[in-house]
C-alpha cells in the first residue's frame, strides 16, 4: 500500500491529504499527482509571495527602515557615474558587509537588504531582514550602529562623503580634533621672541663695547692735553675735561 | 601787504643761513644730531610712516561706500589741495629749523610750545593702541603656521557631541576673533582680566619695535628697507593670486563703478578730506623729526610731491587687491547660498541632480511656485543677491581679521596666504609705529625728561617698557572697546587742531616771506604760486571746515558702541550699547588734553614770562645758539682790563 509520507514541515492542507488505507489504487495515484501539483503551486506561490512579503516589510517611513539620499554629481562633477541596478547591487552588498562586520557573523547576504521606493533624485528606502527569520526586521538602532561603524568603508565604496551619501537620521560622528601637546603658535612665538631678544642683547653689547672703546680713546687724548697744560699752568689749577681753545681764559692765570 | 603777527626775538632763536651752511660743512660737528645714511632710507621711512593700515582697511571701504570710482575725484582733489601742501610745510620747517616737533614750535614762538606738546600726547596715545593692533596681527601670524587654519572650522564642544554653540550660531572666523583672540566681554565695564596669550603677543610686538628703534634712525633706517618694501611685494602677489580666483573681477568692478550722485553728498567730501589728512600722518611730529635729520639743501618740495603720489597710489592699489579678494568671497557666498537653495528644491521634490542649475534656478522656482505654492513657502528659501554680498562693506579690524581671513580659508594653500597677509599687515603697521614713536621720543628728549647722559638705548627701552605696561589695558577682555574709544577720540580731533595751528604758526607767525626765503635758500628756487595760495588760504580753510564738521558730528552723536554678546537676542549681530557715564571723563582726557594743551601752554608761558620779566635779560635759557653765547661772553669781559697773552697765544 503506497503510504503518502507527508513531510513534517508541510502545511496543514497537505497533511490533511491522507488517503484511507483501503482506497482503490486509482484514487491513490490521483491523490499523489494532486499532492505533487499542490506542492509545486505552493512552492511557486511561496517563491512569488516571499518578495511580496518582503516588499510589505520595506515601505517609506517604515519603522525599521532608513532613507538614503545620494548626490553623485555634487560629489564627483564631471567624473560622476550613472546610478543603475549594478550600483544598487553594490549598495546592498556593502550594507550586508556592514551587518556582517557589526554582528561578526558570516550569515548576512545581499538578499537580506531590501530596497524600495527609488526616486530619480536617487533616494530610496531600505530595510534589513534577519537571515534566520525572513519576516523579522533588524531593529533601527542596530542598523544605525552598523552603518556608523562602517561608514567610512561605505562612503569609499561609492567615492562619496558623509554629505553626499546621506543616511537620513544617522548623523556622522565628528572627527576627534587633533590636539598637539604644545599649541603651534607658542612654538612660533618662542622662535620669534628668542631671535628678537638675542638681537637686542647683541646690539646693546656692541654699543657698550663701542662706547668703552671711544672712552678709552678720549681719555688718552685728554691725558695729552692735560700734560701739555700742566707745563703752562703756574698756580697748578686742575682743569676738568677738554680745554676749549676758543674760550679765553686768561684772567684765571693772571689773578694776583 | 602780507599778514604777519609780531614775533620778537625770532632771529635770535634760529640759525641763520650762513650758520646752516657752516653746520653742513663741519664734519660731525652736528654729531649731536643723527643723520640719514642715504636719501633712500629717508624716503622709505617717510613712505612707511604715511602708508599704514588705513590704506588697506579704511580707504577701500570709503571708496566702495561713497560711490566707487567717483570717490577718487574728491580724494585726488583734496590730496592735491590739502595733503601735499601740509606735507611740504612739515618737511620744509623741519629741515630748516633742524629740531624735533617740540623744538620747532618753541623756536617759532615760545608760546607755541603747546603745539609740540600736543603732538607728543597724540603720538603717545596712538602708539599705545596701535601696537596692540600689531599684537593682534602677530597672534594671527603665529597661528597661521598650521595646516588647517584654526579659524576655518568650529571647535567641538566639551563632550564632543557637537560644535560649540557660540561658534555654530555665528561663524568660525567670528568665533576665533571674538572668543579665541579677544575673549571679549559683553560690556566695557567688565574688564575680563588680562588674556595671557595676548600679553605675550603684546610683549613680542613691543620687543620687535624696540629692536628696530634701539639706536634711533641708525637702526630704523636699516629696518625700513624691509618693512617699507615688503608690503608692495605682498600686495602684488595677492593681486596676481586674486585675479585668478573666481569672482574677483566682479569685486573690482563693484569697487570702481562710479556713482556720481555721491559727489553732491557733503559727507563724501568730508570723509575724503579726513582720509587724506589721517593717511599722511601729519601733525604727529614724526615727519618734522625725520626731515630735520636731512642735509639743509635736500629738495623737500620734490620729496613731498613724491611721497604724496606714492601714498595715493598705494591706497588705490591696496583697494584693488582687497576688492579682488572680497569679490571672490562674495561670489563664494553667493554660490553657496544658491547651491543650498537648489539642494533644498531637489530634495523636496525628488528631482534628479542637474535638473536645477544656477542658470535655470529662477525659472524652475517660478514654475514650482505656480504648482506647489504652499510647499515653496514652507521651505523658507534665502534670497541670494551678489550685490548684497559685495556691499557687506567692512572696514577696520573687521575687514582684516574676519572678512579677509574667511576669504583666505577658501583659497587653496591657505596657510601660505595667511602668513603673507599678516606679514604685510605687520610691516605696514611697524613702519607707521616708527614715526609714532619718533614723535614721542624726540619731544621727551627735548623736554629733558631723560638726563642727557643716558644712552639712547636706555631711553628708548624705558619708553617701550612703559608703553607696553600701559598698553595692557588693551589686552583685557574689554580691550577691543577701549581701543576703538582711543581710536575715535584720541586720534581725530586733536590732530585737526594741531595741523591748523601748524599752518597758522608757520604762515603767519614765522612769516610766509621768511619761509619763502628759507625754501629758496634750501632748494634753490622760491615756492611757486600754488604753494603760496594753498599755504596761506586754501589748506587752513579746508582744515577749519573739516574740524568744525567733525567736532559737531562727534559732539552731537549719541555715544554707542558695538559689543559681542552671545546672550543678546540678535546674536550674531553686534549689540549696540550706550557708554557708561564715566566714559565721558575718559573721552575728555583723550580728546581734550592734547587739544587744550595748545592754549594752556601759551597761557602758562605768558604768565611765567610776565612774573619773571626782570631776570629775563640774562637768564635766557632757551637760547642755545653759539652766536649768542659768544656775544654774552664778550659783554661780560668788556669792562675787564687788558690781559697779557700767555705763552701759547691763548
Amino acid at each position: 500500500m503506497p503510504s503518502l509520507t507527508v513531510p513534517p514541515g508541510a502545511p496543514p492542507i497537505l497533511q490533511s491529504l491522507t488517503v484511507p488505507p483501503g482506497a482503490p489504487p486509482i484514487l491513490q495515484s490521483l491523490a499523489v499527482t494532486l499532492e505533487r501539483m499542490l506542492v509545486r503551486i505552493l512552492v511557486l506561490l511561496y517563491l512569488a509571495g516571499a518578495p511580496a512579503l518582503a516588499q510589505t516589510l520595506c515601505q517609506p517611513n517604515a519603522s525599521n527602515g532608513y532613507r538614503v539620499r545620494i548626490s553623485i554629481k555634487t560629489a564627483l562633477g564631471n567624473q560622476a557615474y550613472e546610478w543603475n541596478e549594478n550600483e544598487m547591487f553594490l549598495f546592498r552588498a556593502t550594507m550586508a558587509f556592514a551587518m556582517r562586520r557589526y554582528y561578526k557573523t558570516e550569515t548576512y547576504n545581499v538578499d537580506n537588504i531590501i530596497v524600495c521606493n527609488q526616486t530619480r533624485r536617487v533616494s530610496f528606502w531600505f530595510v534589513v531582514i534577519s537571515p534566520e527569520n525572513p519576516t523579522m526586521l533588524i531593529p533601527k538602532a542596530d542598523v544605525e550602529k552598523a552603518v556608523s561603524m562602517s561608514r567610512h568603508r561605505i562612503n569609499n565604496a561609492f567615492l562619496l562623503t558623509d554629505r553626499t551619501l546621506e543616511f537620513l537620521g544617522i548623523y556622522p560622528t565628528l572627527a576627534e580634533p587633533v590636539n598637539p601637546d604644545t599649541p603651534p603658535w607658542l612654538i612660533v612665538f618662542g622662535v620669534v621672541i628668542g631671535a628678537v631678544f638675542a638681537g637686542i642683547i647683541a646690539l646693546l653689547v656692541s654699543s657698550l663695547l663701542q662706547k668703552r672703546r671711544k672712552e678709552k680713546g678720549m681719555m688718552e687724548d685728554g691725558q695729552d692735553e692735560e700734560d701739555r697744560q700742566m707745563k703752562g699752568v703756574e698756580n697748578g689749577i686742575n682743569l676738568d675735561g677738554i680745554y676749549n681753545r676758543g674760550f679765553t681764559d686768561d684772567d684765571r692765570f693772571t689773578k694776583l | 601787504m602780507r599778514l604777519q603777527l609780531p614775533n620778537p626775538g625770532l632771529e635770535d632763536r634760529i640759525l641763520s643761513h650762513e650758520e646752516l651752511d657752516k653746520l653742513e660743512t663741519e664734519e660731525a660737528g652736528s654729531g649731536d644730531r643723527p643723520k640719514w645714511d642715504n636719501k633712500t632710507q629717508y624716503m622709505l621711512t617717510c613712505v612707511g610712516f604715511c602708508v599704514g593700515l588705513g590704506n588697506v582697511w579704511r580707504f577701500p571701504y570709503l571708496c566702495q561706500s561713497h560711490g566707487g570710482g567717483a570717490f577718487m575725484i574728491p580724494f585726488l582733489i583734496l590730496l592735491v589741495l590739502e595733503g601735499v601742501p601740509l606735507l611740504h610745510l612739515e618737511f620744509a620747517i623741519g629741515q630748516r629749523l633742524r629740531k624735533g616737533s617740540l623744538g620747532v614750535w618753541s623756536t617759532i614762538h615760545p608760546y607755541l610750545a603747546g603745539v609740540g606738546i600736543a603732538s607728543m600726547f597724540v603720538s603717545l596715545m596712538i602708539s599705545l593702541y596701535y601696537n596692540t593692533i600689531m599684537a593682534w596681527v602677530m597672534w594671527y601670524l603665529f597661528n597661521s603656521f598650521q595646516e588647517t587654519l584654526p579659524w576655518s572650522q568650529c571647535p567641538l564642544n566639551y563632550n564632543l557631541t557637537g560644535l560649540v554653540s557660540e561658534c555654530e550660531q555665528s561663524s568660525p572666523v567670528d568665533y576665533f576673533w571674538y572668543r579665541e583672540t579677544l575673549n571679549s566681554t559683553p560690556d566695557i565695564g567688565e574688564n575680563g582680566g588680562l588674556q595671557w596669550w595676548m600679553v605675550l603677543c603684546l610683549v613680542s610686538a613691543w620687543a620687535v619695535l624696540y629692536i628696530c628703534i634701539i639706536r634711533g634712525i641708525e637702526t630704523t633706517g636699516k629696518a625700513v628697507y624691509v618693512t617699507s618694501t615688503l608690503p608692495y611685494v605682498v600686495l602684488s602677489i595677492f593681486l596676481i593670486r586674486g585675479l585668478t580666483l573666481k569672482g574677483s573681477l566682479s569685486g573690482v568692478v563693484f569697487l570702481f563703478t562710479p556713482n556720481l550722485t555721491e559727489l553732491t553728498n557733503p559727507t563724501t567730501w568730508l570723509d575724503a578730506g579726513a582720509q587724506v589728512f589721517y593717511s599722511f600722518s601729519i601733525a604727529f611730529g614724526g615727519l618734522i623729526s625725520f626731515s630735520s635729520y636731512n642735509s639743509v639743501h635736500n629738495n623737500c618740495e620734490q620729496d613731498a610731491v613724491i611721497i604724496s603720489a606714492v601714498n595715493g597710489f598705494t591706497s588705490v592699489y591696496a583697494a584693488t587687491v582687497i576688492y579682488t579678494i572680497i569679490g571672490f568671497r562674495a561670489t563664494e557666498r553667493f554660490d553657496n547660498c544658491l547651491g543650498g537653495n537648489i539642494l533644498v528644491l531637489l530634495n523636496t521634490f525628488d528631482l534628479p541632480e542637474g535638473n536645477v542649475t544656477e542658470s535655470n534656478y529662477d525659472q524652475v522656482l517660478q514654475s514650482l511656485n505656480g504648482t506647489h505654492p504652499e510647499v515653496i513657502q514652507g521651505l523658507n528659501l534665502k534670497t541670494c543677491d551678489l550685490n548684497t554680498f559685495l556691499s557687506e562693506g567692512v572696514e577696520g579690524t573687521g575687514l582684516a581679521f574676519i572678512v579677509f581671513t574667511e576669504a583666505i580659508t577658501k583659497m587653496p594653500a591657505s596657510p601660505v596666504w595667511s602668513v603673507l597677509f599678516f606679514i604685510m599687515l605687520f610691516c605696514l603697521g611697524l613702519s607707521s609705529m616708527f614715526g609714532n614713536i619718533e614723535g614721542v621720543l624726540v619731544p621727551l628728549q627735548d623736554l629733558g625728561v631723560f638726563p642727557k647722559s643716558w644712552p639712547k638705548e636706555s631711553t628708548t627701552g624705558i619708553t617701550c617698557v612703559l608703553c607696553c605696561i600701559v598698553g595692557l589695558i588693551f589686552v583685557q577682555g574689554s580691550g577691543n572697546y577701549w581701543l576703538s574709544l582711543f581710536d575715535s577720540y584720541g586720534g581725530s580731533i586733536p590732530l585737526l587742531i594741531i595741523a591748523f595751528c601748524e599752518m597758522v604758526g608757520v604762515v603767519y607767525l614765522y612769516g610766509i616771506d621768511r619761509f619763502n626765503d628759507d625754501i629758496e635758500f634750501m632748494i634753490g628756487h622760491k615756492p611757486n604760486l600754488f604753494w603760496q595760495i594753498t599755504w596761506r588760504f586754501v589748506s587752513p580753510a579746508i582744515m577749519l571746515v573739516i574740524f568744525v564738521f567733525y567736532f559737531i558730528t562727534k559732539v552731537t552723536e549719541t555715544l554707542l558702541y558695538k559689543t559681542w554678546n552671545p546672550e543678546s537676542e540678535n546674536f550674531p549681530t553686534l549689540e549696540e550699547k550706550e557708554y557708561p557715564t564715566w566714559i565721558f571723563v575718559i573721552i575728555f582726557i583723550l580728546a581734550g588734553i592734547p587739544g587744550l594743551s595748545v592754549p594752556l601752554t601759551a597761557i602758562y608761558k605768558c604768565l611765567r614770562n610776565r612774573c619773571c620779566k626782570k631776570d629775563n635779560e640774562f637768564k635766557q635759557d632757551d637760547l642755545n645758539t653759539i652766536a649768542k653765547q659768544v656775544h654774552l661772553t664778550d659783554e661780560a669781559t668788556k669792562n675787564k682790563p687788558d690781559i697779557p697773552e700767555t705763552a701759547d697765544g691763548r
Side-chain angles (χ1 to χ4, degrees):
Chain A
M1 187 121 17
S3 56
L4 288 165
T5 49
V6 180
I13 190 166
L14 270 181
Q15 284 173 355
S16 57
L17 269 180
T18 41
V19 179
I26 299 173
L27 259 175
Q28 282 175 3
S29 53
L30 207 73
V32 168
T33 40
L34 260 175
E35 211 193 287
R36 284 210 186 106
M37 262 177 66
L38 259 170
V39 169
R40 275 199 210 108
I41 290 170
L42 278 169
V43 166
L44 274 170
L45 265 175
Y46 181 72
L47 283 175
L53 184 68
Q55 280 304 102
T56 57
L57 287 173
C58 171
Q59 270 175 22
N61 304 316
S63 54
N64 280 327
Y66 274 104
R67 186 160 180 219
V68 177
R69 191 153 60 205
I70 300 187
S71 317
I72 310 175
K73 288 213 180 80
T74 318
L76 301 170
N78 283 344
Q79 295 160 349
Y81 50 81
E82 190 65 41
W83 185 262
N84 50 28
E85 277 309 310
N86 299 334
E87 306 287 346
M88 186 55 89
F89 181 79
L90 179 60
F91 178 77
R92 291 163 70 200
T94 324
M95 286 311 302
F97 162 75
M99 300 308 295
R100 282 196 184 195
R101 206 157 158 246
Y102 178 62
Y103 281 119
K104 298 191 180 55
T105 66
E106 290 178 11
T107 50
Y108 280 88
N109 232 315
V110 181
D111 303 329
N112 300 124
I113 315 290
I114 309 184
V115 168
C116 56
N117 247 65
Q118 195 173 343
T119 64
R120 289 186 306 157
R121 170 70 179 81
V122 192
S123 70
F124 48 84
W125 285 84
F126 78 93
V127 290
V128 183
I129 52 179
S130 152
E132 293 94 24
N133 185 353
T135 53
M136 199 181 82
L137 293 178
I138 303 289
K140 204 163 172 148
D142 289 334
V143 175
E144 179 174 344
K145 287 194 197 116
V147 167
S148 300
M149 190 168 142
S150 309
R151 189 64 186 265
H152 189 59
R153 302 291 298 273
I154 302 172
N155 285 349
N156 277 349
F158 291 95
L159 308 173
L160 299 172
T161 65
D162 282 347
R163 250 181 8 100
T164 42
L165 172 57
E166 299 169 76
F167 287 83
L168 300 183
I170 302 181
Y171 294 107
T173 47
L174 302 160
E176 274 268 343
V178 176
N179 262 338
D181 292 322
T182 41
W185 74 267
L186 262 182
I187 300 173
V188 185
F189 165 76
V191 168
V192 167
I193 204 113
V196 168
F197 274 121
I200 291 176
I201 292 173
L203 281 173
L204 287 175
V205 164
S206 79
S207 70
L208 216 73
L209 288 174
Q210 229 176 34
K211 209 176 188 181
R212 226 171 265 168
R213 237 179 276 139
K214 215 195 229 175
E215 260 171 25
K216 227 196 217 172
M218 260 169 64
M219 240 164 56
E220 283 172 6
D221 283 348
Q223 282 299 102
D224 293 342
E225 286 269 334
E226 282 195 0
D227 286 339
R228 270 190 280 148
Q229 255 175 260
M230 286 297 178
K231 293 191 201 136
V233 164
E234 280 172 47
N235 39 8
I237 298 173
N238 223 349
L239 293 169
D240 295 333
I242 307 174
Y243 192 71
N244 187 354
R245 293 164 203 247
F247 192 81
T248 51
D249 207 22
D250 298 348
D251 35 343
R252 273 208 215 168
F253 295 126
T254 53
K255 248 196 185 102
L256 297 163
Chain B
M1 206 179 81
R2 300 271 167 85
L3 174 65
Q4 163 92 34
L5 297 171
N7 195 351
L10 180 60
E11 296 273 336
D12 303 327
R13 293 194 293 267
I14 60 179
L15 295 171
S16 70
H17 291 175
E18 302 77 44
E19 282 158 357
L20 279 179
D21 267 330
K22 211 198 295 184
L23 222 60
E24 263 304 282
T25 51
E26 267 177 32
E27 52 146 29
S30 50
D32 224 8
R33 193 139 197 95
K35 269 204 303 223
W36 295 108
D37 287 344
N38 53 44
K39 184 80 183 281
T40 320
Q41 277 187 4
Y42 166 62
M43 293 297 278
L44 283 178
T45 311
C46 288
V47 165
F49 187 20
C50 295
V51 171
L53 294 173
N55 296 67
V56 164
W57 70 35
R58 175 105 177 117
F59 179 79
Y61 168 73
L62 284 177
C63 209
Q64 170 260 350
S65 64
H66 283 300
F71 185 73
M72 298 291 170
I73 299 173
F75 181 71
L76 287 173
I77 291 177
L78 287 170
L79 189 116
V80 167
L81 289 179
E82 183 197 348
V84 182
L86 275 171
L87 209 61
H88 188 195
L89 187 107
E90 288 212 348
F91 283 161
I93 201 76
Q95 200 171 297
R96 167 68 179 91
L97 297 178
R98 317 199 66 72
K99 295 211 177 101
S101 72
L102 190 64
V104 157
W105 303 116
S106 8
T107 307
I108 290 183
H109 198 287
Y111 293 177
L112 272 189
V115 176
I117 293 181
S119 284
M120 182 187 76
F121 276 129
V122 169
S123 290
L124 183 67
M125 277 196 258
I126 294 191
S127 302
L128 286 175
Y129 79 75
Y130 208 81
N131 230 24
T132 313
I133 302 180
M134 292 294 100
W136 292 340
V137 170
M138 286 196 104
W139 163 255
Y140 270 79
L141 181 62
F142 294 154
N143 272 298
S144 305
F145 288 95
Q146 294 174 50
E147 212 182 304
T148 43
L149 298 172
W151 54 85
S152 59
Q153 58 204 22
C154 278
L156 298 179
N157 62 14
Y158 190 64
N159 22 9
L160 298 181
T161 51
L163 305 172
V164 174
S165 71
E166 191 181 345
C167 187
E168 245 188 310
Q169 288 179 296
S170 54
S171 73
V173 272
D174 280 317
Y175 179 77
F176 187 76
W177 171 237
Y178 286 108
R179 186 57 52 213
E180 293 194 25
T181 307
L182 301 174
N183 200 6
S184 187
T185 56
D187 192 272
I188 197 171
E190 303 172 33
N191 74 347
L194 291 176
Q195 314 301 322
W196 66 270
W197 57 94
M198 285 321 310
V199 174
L200 289 181
C201 293
L202 186 71
V203 167
S204 60
W206 279 104
V208 173
L209 182 68
Y210 178 54
I211 197 179
C212 292
I213 60 168
I214 191 168
R215 284 192 203 151
I217 63 167
E218 197 185 316
T219 41
T220 311
K222 309 223 173 20
V224 289
Y225 283 121
V226 172
T227 61
S228 293
T229 51
L230 195 63
Y232 289 97
V233 171
V234 175
L235 276 177
S236 307
I237 296 176
F238 263 100
L239 184 68
I240 298 172
R241 170 77 266 219
L243 286 174
T244 57
L245 291 170
K246 180 184 177 208
S248 53
L249 284 174
S250 54
V252 179
V253 162
F254 182 77
L255 174 71
F256 288 123
T257 312
N259 177 9
L260 290 165
T261 56
E262 281 280 343
L263 289 180
T264 53
N265 185 1
T267 330
T268 309
W269 291 86
L270 202 64
D271 278 339
Q275 174 61 18
V276 166
F277 180 73
Y278 294 127
S279 170
F280 277 88
S281 310
I282 296 168
F284 280 75
L287 287 173
I288 299 181
S289 281
F290 286 146
S291 71
S292 72
Y293 304 135
N294 269 329
S295 84
V296 181
H297 294 290
N298 176 46
N299 192 347
C300 50
E301 182 183 25
Q302 199 186 52
D303 294 345
V305 172
I306 291 177
I307 290 179
S308 312
V310 169
N311 197 6
F313 162 73
T314 311
S315 293
V316 176
Y317 191 50
T320 315
V321 173
I322 296 283
Y323 264 81
T324 52
I325 306 288
I326 288 193
F328 160 70
R329 174 181 172 265
T331 311
E332 172 97 12
R333 282 202 156 188
F334 174 71
D335 285 344
N336 281 348
C337 177
L338 202 58
N341 282 356
I342 290 176
L343 199 68
V344 166
L345 279 182
L346 287 178
N347 288 349
T348 330
F349 293 99
D350 273 330
L351 304 167
E353 280 184 291
N355 244 21
V356 189
T357 59
E358 291 170 10
S359 36
N360 63 4
Y361 171 74
D362 291 315
Q363 298 166 294
V364 173
L365 183 63
Q366 258 187 352
S367 66
L368 284 176
N369 209 4
T371 48
H372 305 90
E374 342 71 41
V375 184
I376 297 284
Q377 288 286 70
L379 288 178
N380 285 338
L381 293 173
K382 297 182 269 189
T383 40
C384 301
D385 178 31
L386 186 60
N387 272 341
T388 328
F389 287 122
L390 282 171
S391 339
E392 280 174 354
V394 198
E395 56 159 337
T397 50
L399 176 67
F401 298 116
I402 298 182
V403 170
F404 214 83
T405 45
E406 189 189 344
I408 287 180
T409 57
K410 309 251 189 296
M411 289 157 55
S414 325
V416 174
W417 304 112
S418 182
V419 168
L420 276 178
F421 178 63
F422 288 111
I423 283 186
M424 174 184 84
L425 284 188
F426 187 70
C427 287
L428 282 172
L430 191 66
S431 49
S432 299
M433 276 303 293
F434 293 155
N436 288 337
I437 281 285
E438 179 79 13
V440 173
L441 283 175
V442 174
L444 283 179
Q445 267 173 358
D446 288 344
L447 281 174
V449 170
F450 298 115
K452 289 257 189 299
S453 57
W454 283 15
K456 191 145 183 128
E457 289 89 348
S458 55
T459 55
T460 46
I462 291 177
T463 315
C464 284
V465 166
L466 286 176
C467 287
C468 186
I469 291 176
V470 176
L472 288 177
I473 314 170
F474 302 113
V475 295
Q476 302 171 88
S478 53
N480 190 26
Y481 308 134
W482 284 100
L483 199 134
S484 44
L485 191 71
F486 269 65
D487 192 22
S488 329
Y489 296 102
S492 53
I493 306 246
L495 285 172
L496 289 163
I497 298 177
I498 296 169
F500 183 74
C501 293
E502 281 188 6
M503 282 216 120
V504 166
V506 170
V507 172
Y508 298 111
L509 264 179
Y510 184 74
I512 188 74
D513 289 327
R514 183 188 293 275
F515 194 52
N516 287 337
D517 288 336
D518 286 337
I519 294 184
E520 193 181 8
F521 164 70
M522 289 196 293
I523 64 178
H525 59 266
K526 244 189 173 147
N528 59 29
L529 191 63
F530 166 74
W531 302 111
Q532 305 298 326
I533 296 177
T534 47
W535 281 334
R536 289 160 70 187
F537 310 115
V538 177
S539 301
I542 295 179
M543 300 263 75
L544 197 62
V545 166
I546 296 180
F547 170 67
V548 167
F549 270 105
Y550 235 77
F551 193 71
I552 294 176
T553 326
K554 287 278 178 195
V555 165
T556 54
E557 72 184 0
T558 46
L559 293 171
L560 294 170
Y561 68 111
K562 297 205 176 139
T563 62
W564 177 260
N565 189 2
E567 267 115 57
S568 80
E569 307 156 344
N570 291 338
F571 188 76
T573 323
L574 298 173
E575 190 191 354
E576 288 206 344
K577 283 191 184 162
E578 269 194 34
Y579 278 121
T581 39
W582 52 269
I583 284 285
F584 291 98
V585 178
I586 309 269
I587 292 179
F588 178 75
I589 293 176
L590 287 175
I593 287 192
L596 287 176
S597 62
V598 177
L600 286 178
T601 321
I603 295 172
Y604 167 74
K605 289 253 162 151
C606 187
L607 289 174
R608 207 179 72 161
N609 219 9
R610 292 273 164 79
C611 84
C612 314
K613 200 170 186 179
K614 25 187 187 2
D615 297 339
N616 235 11
E617 284 166 13
F618 285 107
K619 204 170 182 191
Q620 316 257 18
D621 340 272
D622 40 343
L623 292 177
N624 52 6
T625 63
I626 308 162
K628 199 61 184 177
Q629 277 180 338
V630 171
H631 178 70
L632 255 180
T633 337
D634 282 347
E635 282 282 343
T637 55
K638 217 188 254 184
N639 301 326
K640 299 268 164 60
D642 274 329
I643 13 154
E645 286 190 347
T646 52
D648 43 1
R650 265 185 258 161

